[in-house]
Amino acid sequence: MRHLLVLALLGVSIACAPGNIGDLERTDAGGLVSPRADGGRLESDGGSAPSDDDASALDDVDGGGAPLDPDGGGPVVPPVGRGATIAWDEYEAEAGRTNATVLEDRRDVGTIEAESSGRRAVRLDDTGDYVEFTAARRANSIVVRYSIPDSPTGGGIDSTIGIYVNDTLRHRLPVTSRYSWFYDLNSWLNGGPNHPSDDPARGSPFHFYDESRALIGDIPAGATVRIQMDAESTADHYVIDLVDLELVPDPLPRPDGFLSIVDDCGATPNDATDDGDAIQTCLDRGRAESRGVWIPAGTFETSYAPARDMGFFTDRNTIRGAGMWHSTIHGSGARFYCAGNECVFSDFALFGDTRVRDGQKRSNGFNGSAGSGSRLDRIWIEHVEVGYWVGLDSPPNGPTNGLVISDCRIRNTYADGVNFCNGTSNSEVVNTHLRYTGDDALAVWAYTAPGAVATNNVFHRNTAQLPWRANCFAIYGGADNRIEDNVCIDTLTFPGIQIGGPYPQHAFGGTTRVARNTLLRAGGVSFGQEHGALKLFSFQVDLSQIAIEDVDIDDPSYFGLDLQSWGADGSRIAQASMSRVTITSPTRHGIHVRGDARGRLSLSDVVVRDAPAGGLLHEGPAGQFTIERGTGNEGW
């Protein structure tokens, strides 16, 4: 996998790349992640879920992805026509009302501000400290993205924080640091192991955040929602980054003819019983009897079992739940392995119990090639290594063809959100929201293994927010792959979008297209380099027929556009073009041509604004890299 490769950037030998990740843990009450993420059991505290008629009010909201620049205490408004259409309102803590400390913008890796949405947050230090918001719409659920301290010896602590609605205590929300806090940042950034240390004695911490969620009863539009440090809040301090409020509908009914993992196979919800065998029994029966499998409301525990190393075995199975907020499979065994075709999953949450990245344990939410005819709809994935590493240990059913991942939420992973690897073709991720992935949020990797080449895949109308390692979106080789109509927000160590890169990959074929994307506060530092928001990086193979158009790059941490070639292999950026690209307020240059970049790039209607160091930095020798200037360029 990519994270086992040896790189040599700037003359430094390093081992790394975007790759897999591990599970996180849940709080006792469950919950993490944005509007539908949860680390385990879902807590309900008063009030009933709304009816379908109530939930239909959500349709009146404009589409969008994760938050863009907050304005006052209201929800953040995403760009029109780009990113995922989401069912919740996201409120930035620093835009709310508070009597506590507002943490200001910082981009330095290893600071909590750099890992915060908008690079700002609110810190509560004393009893009575709070941050509050005015609910723009009716809701009945809350997600809080927060950080609390680690224990002195590592491993985390548990606590609670008060949730008030109109000055009345509604819920004590469980929070934990068991899924956060890694150490030895410099080693990890500069070629150390992809398995970061969880030992506080190593110093230089990073990966500070987690999330918790709960159903808390009716929150009327216009109500004041307050997050407050109470006497019962036992952590030394609480950093609040953002809050999501959502109107969650009632649980879905059991479909006709479906086997129930409870009534037909003996699983028991909301207790400590291991339900792994019951779930696998139902899947086996469903396949034999051509019946779907139903996951009722509740949390079903499952621990790792060697017989299910890759996950629950599925082939020609349909698995449905009562909804992301209602049906949860949780534990170290919470993973599925599609070893055939027509693996169809919908409407449940899958929360692992991984706390550190370890690519050898296969603790991904979903594994296998998915064959043909498979899909995931409305699945909430958290605390696993990778949401779905597509094609891992592909069985004889061949490479993935036509996989659809739609309307999902992938949160707090230790590696990629989704990686289309090992010949995955004709597949898509659409209208999915990803937050705090530990590697590429979405990637196509046409790995140089024998067999099919990744072809005709697309990531469109997705929002990737706060990846704490690697890119929001990436394409490493293959033919006719596309990144379209997405939003990327707040990368920490890598670009927002990267085409090519230092990983073995098949040649680029057909046209690789990047169109109608927004990159906000993208770029970062890793492996001794300051990376731009949008990067073309030739390695082993030429970047051929790369078409980039209609991209808005706002407030990049270093450069807007970044061009690089691998120093020793002779690869080039060839037959690449950009048009209608706007770069606003980079902290360095608008366009950076590195000294090792080779090839040529055609630029038309590329506009750079407010670049303090200048519009263009060209470091290479004359003739090694050529920019062909078309019409409409400004600022460089």
Side-chain angles (χ1 to χ4, degrees):
M1 294 182 180
R2 298 192 310 278
H3 58 284
L4 301 179
L5 305 175
V6 177
L7 313 182
L9 299 177
L10 300 179
V12 179
S13 180
I14 56 179
C16 177
N20 297 27
I21 295 191
D23 313 358
L24 297 179
E25 244 181 68
R26 65 164 187 180
T27 63
D28 288 343
L32 328 135
V33 187
S34 54
R36 292 191 181 176
D38 178 356
R41 183 170 304 144
L42 174 63
E43 293 263 319
S44 178
D45 188 15
S48 60
S51 68
D52 290 339
D53 290 341
D54 294 328
S56 67
L58 299 174
D59 296 336
D60 296 333
V61 182
D62 290 339
L68 294 183
D69 300 326
D71 181 15
V76 186
V77 179
V80 175
R82 296 181 183 180
T85 300
I86 57 177
W88 62 93
D89 291 321
E90 185 167 306
Y91 299 80
E92 294 283 354
E94 68 275 10
R97 299 177 294 275
T98 184
N99 64 349
T101 302
V102 176
L103 304 180
E104 297 297 341
D105 189 334
R106 292 184 67 183
R107 308 289 174 96
D108 305 313
V109 181
T111 65
I112 196 165
E113 294 91 339
E115 295 188 27
S116 302
S117 176
R119 317 298 179 141
R120 303 172 69 206
V122 172
R123 175 171 165 142
L124 313 181
D125 286 287
D126 300 308
T127 299
D129 281 0
Y130 69 86
V131 59
E132 65 180 25
F133 316 88
T134 300
R137 296 183 295 171
R138 184 185 173 201
N140 64 352
S141 70
I142 191 168
V143 175
V144 178
R145 186 170 193 258
Y146 66 89
S147 176
I148 61 173
D150 197 2
S151 67
T153 58
I157 63 172
D158 300 316
S159 186
T160 64
I161 194 164
I163 307 297
Y164 291 77
V165 178
N166 290 335
D167 299 320
T168 300
L169 178 66
R170 183 67 65 85
H171 188 66
R172 297 203 185 280
L173 185 71
V175 293
T176 184
S177 56
R178 296 181 183 275
Y179 297 109
S180 47
W181 292 91
F182 295 146
Y183 299 89
D184 197 8
L185 171 65
N186 289 334
S187 173
W188 180 76
L189 278 180
N190 294 292
N194 277 294
H195 182 151
S197 173
D198 56 2
D199 180 6
R202 303 290 292 273
S204 58
F206 62 102
H207 188 253
F208 304 105
Y209 277 106
D210 203 350
E211 302 179 23
S212 185
R213 78 173 187 176
L215 291 172
I216 62 172
D218 188 58
I219 303 171
T224 297
V225 179
R226 174 179 288 191
I227 317 302
Q228 181 168 300
M229 187 171 175
D230 292 333
E232 295 80 6
S233 303
T234 55
D236 176 73
H237 64 269
Y238 299 74
V239 177
I240 307 301
D241 182 30
L242 58 83
V243 168
D244 295 330
L245 299 179
E246 178 181 1
L247 189 65
V248 177
D250 288 331
L252 297 168
R254 175 178 174 178
D256 293 341
F258 273 53
L259 294 167
S260 166
I261 64 171
V262 173
D263 297 338
D264 297 300
C265 300
T268 56
N270 306 322
D271 62 16
T273 303
D274 191 325
D275 297 306
D277 289 343
I279 294 170
Q280 187 63 66
T281 295
C282 249
L283 292 169
D284 293 343
R285 280 188 59 188
R287 185 166 51 254
E289 300 172 17
S290 297
R291 299 172 66 185
V293 172
W294 170 242
I295 306 171
T299 295
F300 299 88
E301 299 293 334
T302 175
S303 58
Y304 172 81
R308 298 192 296 270
D309 178 55
M310 297 287 286
F312 294 112
F313 182 93
T314 57
D315 176 14
R316 294 173 289 112
N317 285 112
T318 296
I319 304 99
R320 294 185 188 174
M324 288 191 221
W325 278 90
H326 301 294
S327 298
T328 300
I329 297 176
H330 171 263
S332 58
R335 62 187 78 163
F336 283 89
Y337 176 42
C338 180
N341 301 288
E342 299 176 19
C343 303
V344 179
F345 309 89
S346 63
D347 299 300
F348 64 90
L350 188 73
F351 297 106
D353 194 23
T354 297
R355 306 184 189 189
V356 70
R357 175 175 182 155
D358 183 351
Q360 303 306 309
K361 290 186 177 179
R362 304 182 181 187
S363 53
N364 306 325
F366 292 85
N367 291 303
S369 81
S372 61
S374 296
R375 61 183 300 138
L376 280 68
D377 294 284
R378 300 172 301 282
I379 302 295
W380 194 340
I381 304 169
E382 286 207 45
H383 293 171
V384 296
E385 190 146 335
V386 176
Y388 198 155
W389 190 278
V390 183
L392 180 61
D393 290 355
S394 294
N397 61 337
T400 307
N401 184 50
L403 173 65
V404 177
I405 299 175
S406 176
D407 301 287
C408 293
R409 310 183 192 187
I410 302 174
R411 307 278 186 275
N412 304 314
T413 67
Y414 292 95
D416 303 50
V418 176
N419 192 301
F420 283 167
C421 196
N422 297 344
T424 300
S425 295
N426 305 311
S427 296
E428 64 177 313
V429 180
V430 57
N431 205 55
T432 288
H433 188 275
L434 307 100
R435 187 155 69 203
Y436 214 43
T437 58
D439 219 306
D440 295 324
L442 297 174
V444 174
W445 186 17
Y447 181 62
T448 51
V453 175
T455 302
N456 193 37
N457 300 293
V458 60
F459 303 137
H460 59 124
R461 293 190 291 110
N462 304 291
T463 296
Q465 185 180 12
L466 293 157
W468 55 274
R469 191 178 197 178
N471 315 278
C472 286
F473 310 103
I475 296 175
Y476 308 115
D480 293 314
N481 297 300
R482 311 190 309 280
I483 299 171
E484 298 176 339
D485 303 296
N486 302 287
V487 174
C488 167
I489 304 170
D490 292 321
T491 63
L492 183 66
T493 60
F494 269 69
I497 293 177
Q498 181 164 303
I499 306 300
Y503 320 115
Q505 58 202 269
H506 285 288
F508 284 83
T511 299
T512 299
R513 186 174 300 279
V514 176
R516 301 176 305 279
N517 298 282
T518 296
L519 310 181
L520 178 63
R521 294 183 297 271
V525 172
S526 59
F527 305 120
Q529 288 190 332
E530 296 175 342
H531 299 280
L534 171 58
K535 187 165 187 174
L536 303 185
F537 188 176
S538 68
F539 173 78
Q540 294 184 346
V541 299
D542 290 348
L543 300 190
S544 299
Q545 298 296 338
I546 311 298
I548 299 173
E549 57 192 23
D550 298 302
V551 176
D552 295 313
I553 301 172
D554 189 21
D555 195 15
S557 295
Y558 299 101
F559 313 99
L561 173 60
D562 195 348
L563 306 169
Q564 183 174 5
S565 298
W566 187 257
D569 65 13
S571 63
R572 299 167 57 83
I573 299 171
Q575 298 174 303
S577 66
M578 293 188 185
S579 60
R580 299 182 300 281
V581 174
T582 301
I583 300 167
T584 304
S585 300
T587 60
R588 302 278 196 271
H589 297 81
I591 302 170
H592 185 196
V593 182
R594 297 183 182 270
D596 57 5
R598 296 181 295 270
R600 62 197 314 112
L601 175 65
S602 173
L603 299 180
S604 299
D605 296 303
V606 174
V607 177
V608 177
R609 300 189 180 103
D610 302 323
L616 172 64
L617 174 62
H618 197 314
E619 297 180 316
Q624 180 174 289
F625 190 91
T626 300
I627 293 180
E628 299 175 346
R629 294 174 180 258
T631 61
N633 298 306
E634 296 179 21
W636 56 277

